[in-house]
Amino acid sequence: MSTVRESINVDVPVTTAYNQWTQFEEFPTFMEGVEEITQVDDKRSHWKTRIAGVKREFDTEIIDQFPDDRIVWRTTDGETSQRGVVTFQPLDEAHTRVNLAVEFEPEGMAEKAADALNIVDRRVKGDLRRFKNYIEERGGETGAWRGRISPS
């Protein structure tokens, strides 16, 4: 397994940053390589990605979600194996640090090469920069889901 960890400070309150991150179907707007996400229910989503020319489809489930604090997920089915956590740390009333950690198993030569060349790290860093620009330019979230999902 490979792990990518990145953080970024965004100029919005923690609730705004968290609320936007719960809008999974908006991810293609700021995540490079994510073509489509379909929210199946509160816990499950179906993803379609194209990274380094490789198309993948997979399902994820949220295993822990606590408003304004964290979202933890893992893949459950499909062509990729990953798990991750995004946390939200208030810096003050108007600024938030978003921390993202993703563990993944590179599949095939293209993904293993991309991992070895730190392309995945750069992609995640770019996704966080685009998230920052997206939420700061909007000035507010496009929606919110404030439910609690507890680990079993």
Side-chain angles (χ1 to χ4, degrees):
M1 280 264 179
S2 293
T3 303
V4 174
R5 295 181 198 283
E6 294 292 343
S7 298
I8 197 161
N9 295 343
V10 294
D11 298 337
V12 297
V14 68
T15 298
T16 302
Y18 172 85
N19 286 348
Q20 185 60 55
W21 204 275
T22 67
Q23 303 304 293
F24 305 117
E25 292 182 349
E26 296 289 322
F27 281 15
T29 306
F30 57 85
M31 285 191 172
E32 187 179 347
V34 176
E35 294 184 335
E36 181 182 357
I37 298 175
T38 304
Q39 182 102 24
V40 177
D41 59 29
D42 292 343
K43 285 185 170 186
R44 297 176 302 137
S45 300
H46 181 77
W47 291 58
K48 294 181 182 179
T49 63
R50 180 189 301 261
I51 299 174
V54 178
K55 287 181 118 178
R56 296 269 190 242
E57 288 195 42
F58 54 92
D59 296 322
T60 63
E61 76 171 336
I62 295 170
I63 54 176
D64 185 13
Q65 184 167 346
F66 191 82
D68 297 339
D69 184 70
R70 69 186 170 276
I71 302 171
V72 182
W73 73 92
R74 67 179 170 211
T75 55
T76 58
D77 188 31
E79 304 170 299
T80 189
S81 175
Q82 68 168 256
R83 61 183 299 122
V85 60
V86 60
T87 61
F88 304 86
Q89 177 185 357
L91 300 174
D92 59 34
E93 289 184 13
H95 301 90
T96 304
R97 175 165 295 134
V98 179
N99 304 293
L100 180 61
V102 180
E103 292 179 353
F104 62 97
E105 188 66 50
E107 302 287 336
M109 291 300 292
E111 290 180 16
K112 288 178 182 176
D115 183 36
L117 295 170
N118 292 323
I119 292 171
V120 178
D121 295 61
R122 290 193 300 271
R123 170 79 48 95
V124 169
K125 185 175 274 189
D127 289 345
L128 285 177
R129 276 194 316 269
R130 285 184 292 279
F131 174 75
K132 174 183 174 64
N133 292 338
Y134 180 78
I135 193 66
E136 289 177 2
E137 287 173 8
R138 287 190 55 79
E141 60 270 40
T142 61
W145 189 78
R146 307 284 304 165
R148 171 74 169 112
I149 297 172
S150 296
S152 19

